[in-house]
Amino acid sequence: DVGQVDPYNANVFSAADWQLNLETSSIIEEPASVTMRMQGGEERFISSNTVLVSELKAVMSDSSIDVRSSDPSATDRVTRAITSLAPPAQVMLKVIVDEMDTRDLGTPKLDHEIISALLDPRYKGEEFGLFDEEGYTEARVVLQEKYDEFAAALRAHEEKEAQVTQLEAQLQNASELVERARAELTTGLPAASAPLAQAPAAEPEPASEPKQKKQKSMVEMRREKRLQEKKAARAEAAPAAAAPRARDEIKEYFDLDDELEDDNFSLLGWWKRMATDRPADNWFAWKVLSQLARVYHGIDATSCVAERNFSQLAIKLGPLERDGDPDHVADTLFLKANSQLIPDVQAWNLMRRFLSERGIEAGSTPADIAAACKEFILKHGPTSSSAGE
């Protein structure tokens, strides 16, 4: 209540003080919620974090803001113009916006930020507002350059793998030749050592050897294997020697108008699906672009997740578990850090979000909970399009 005495400092809050408190706490609430989402691991990708900060910047730069009501029991907020706020609140808001502008927060500047934003199908369009017209063109150029570099590296890697495979085949052929020569010497020694005293009698023996070699056709077999290896190497090198598909893949990606569900959308899962050939759907994978996307989306936007994993390790290795099996500890921490990959946990998290969106809480009536669960089963059950997620 206005005029209530604060027992900690025995000062009396005036009405203006309480109003300033409401305004400043309302201003801080939005950045705090975004920070919690980023640090809590809900938004681990650079692209989604960039969009969050960009939207926060737009909200903080607006001409009005929603302020908490002075009535503690009221849940609705009051929309106030920025100019109507108390001067300290206006200064606070200006400092936050100026700091975001100085640091270019919410605007992709570095190459990994640009590529991560463009390779997120939810925010790839120019109309989303992450880039202006000139910046969007420059971002496409950066993506094209990185794609060409990545495609060249992949081709070089494939050529090295082909060379290694060819060398392994040659070593295998050489070992087979050594084994056969050793077998021939082993079987030929008794017959050749017996007639050493009579040189003329030993002449018929070598005459039969060439026939056996011709029947085995070792040279011909080796030549055939070499021809097969050359054909295989030529077939593997043919796609690399052909005209690169760089511009085709990028153009197909930006031309793709895929309706993406915000609920339970998996960015890495989407790119994994795009990396798989589906002839039935007349779809052929983006071999290079999908790998490039997974490389950049594999970068965590913050170090909070890694720090949290170290904290879990400290909690796991208590005083009574210092001599635990390292493999067991590693497996336990892996399951703890990647529990969202377990199908049962995925279904449970999806249901929790579904119930939360519909206002279902612990104090809800059994009828409301049952109705919401039934709706969830109808939407995400085995017969729905999201079966198995």
Side-chain angles (χ1 to χ4, degrees):
D1 295 334
V2 178
Q4 182 179 1
V5 177
D6 188 350
Y8 294 99
N9 54 21
N11 291 328
V12 178
F13 278 18
S14 64
D17 294 335
W18 279 109
Q19 187 61 36
L20 177 61
N21 186 13
L22 293 174
E23 294 174 356
T24 54
S25 60
S26 300
I27 293 173
I28 288 295
E29 187 174 2
E30 292 299 329
S33 63
V34 171
T35 303
M36 291 298 295
R37 289 186 62 179
M38 295 171 62
Q39 294 182 350
E42 294 182 17
E43 302 292 347
R44 300 182 58 177
F45 301 106
I46 295 177
S47 58
S48 54
N49 277 274
T50 303
V51 171
L52 273 178
V53 177
S54 176
E55 293 177 348
L56 173 63
K57 185 177 179 180
V59 170
M60 304 297 285
S61 303
D62 199 0
S63 59
S64 60
I65 189 172
D66 293 339
V67 180
R68 297 176 180 177
S69 174
S70 58
D71 184 3
S73 61
T75 58
D76 296 336
R77 295 179 175 239
V78 179
T79 302
R80 298 270 305 279
I82 301 299
T83 55
S84 66
L85 300 179
Q90 296 185 35
V91 172
M92 177 182 179
L93 185 60
K94 185 178 184 303
V95 169
I96 295 176
V97 175
D98 291 345
E99 189 68 19
M100 296 181 72
D101 289 336
T102 303
R103 299 187 182 187
D104 285 331
L105 299 181
T107 303
K109 292 294 184 180
L110 302 178
D111 288 352
H112 67 277
E113 297 173 347
I114 294 173
I115 295 175
S116 298
L118 289 179
L119 292 183
D120 193 325
R122 297 170 294 180
Y123 317 122
K124 65 179 181 180
E126 183 179 2
E127 67 280 357
F128 198 81
L130 286 179
F131 307 93
D132 54 17
E133 185 176 354
E134 182 179 357
Y136 187 76
T137 304
E138 295 177 355
R140 291 284 295 267
V141 172
V142 171
L143 176 60
Q144 184 66 59
E145 292 176 351
K146 291 296 180 181
Y147 180 95
D148 294 338
E149 294 177 4
F150 194 75
L154 285 180
R155 287 196 295 269
H157 179 70
E158 292 174 356
E159 291 175 358
K160 289 183 179 180
E161 284 189 342
Q163 293 176 359
V164 171
T165 304
Q166 186 176 1
L167 291 176
E168 290 177 350
Q170 292 176 359
L171 290 175
Q172 182 67 24
N173 292 337
S175 62
E176 291 179 0
L177 290 174
V178 171
E179 292 295 333
R180 290 183 180 180
R182 187 175 298 167
E184 290 175 3
L185 291 175
T186 304
T187 56
L189 276 177
S193 59
L196 284 177
Q198 301 176 358
E203 293 180 356
E205 290 293 336
S208 60
E209 291 298 330
K211 293 182 180 180
Q212 294 180 358
K213 290 183 178 180
K214 288 181 180 179
Q215 291 176 358
K216 293 179 180 180
S217 304
M218 295 174 59
V219 176
E220 294 181 1
M221 292 175 59
R222 184 177 179 183
R223 185 178 301 169
E224 290 177 359
K225 287 184 178 180
R226 285 187 176 179
L227 290 175
Q228 292 176 359
E229 292 170 1
K230 288 183 179 180
K231 290 181 180 179
R234 196 176 294 116
E236 291 180 358
R245 290 190 56 204
R247 300 188 182 280
D248 294 339
E249 286 192 3
I250 293 178
K251 184 176 184 303
E252 290 174 7
Y253 166 68
F254 282 100
D255 290 344
L256 180 65
D257 187 13
D258 195 3
E259 296 183 0
L260 305 175
E261 296 182 1
D262 293 334
D263 296 340
N264 202 35
F265 174 77
S266 173
L267 182 57
L268 294 179
W270 188 87
W271 276 108
K272 182 179 180 180
R273 187 169 62 91
M274 293 301 165
T276 306
D277 290 328
R278 299 188 300 276
D281 300 335
N282 195 23
W283 173 259
F284 298 96
W286 295 325
K287 299 295 184 182
V288 179
L289 191 61
S290 60
Q291 295 187 57
L292 181 65
R294 282 180 284 179
V295 166
Y296 279 91
H297 290 316
I299 305 173
D300 281 334
T302 65
S303 61
C304 297
V305 177
E307 294 171 3
R308 192 174 296 110
N309 291 337
F310 279 105
S311 300
Q312 291 294 334
L313 177 62
I315 296 173
K316 174 63 181 176
L317 295 180
L320 302 178
E321 299 186 19
R322 295 295 183 181
D323 297 331
D325 183 15
D327 293 337
H328 175 72
V329 174
D331 293 341
T332 304
L333 291 177
F334 178 82
L335 293 176
K336 177 69 175 177
N338 300 278
S339 59
Q340 70 278 4
L341 302 178
I342 302 175
D344 292 343
V345 177
Q346 290 179 351
W348 173 246
N349 291 335
L350 180 62
M351 186 172 184
R352 289 175 57 187
R353 288 196 299 268
F354 184 85
L355 296 179
S356 176
E357 291 173 357
R358 278 150 183 77
I360 302 300
E361 301 176 351
S364 301
T365 62
D368 294 339
I369 297 176
C373 291
K374 182 178 180 180
E375 183 183 358
F376 173 81
I377 294 174
L378 292 176
K379 182 177 181 181
H380 300 283
T383 57
S384 66
S385 59
S386 60
E389 294 185 351

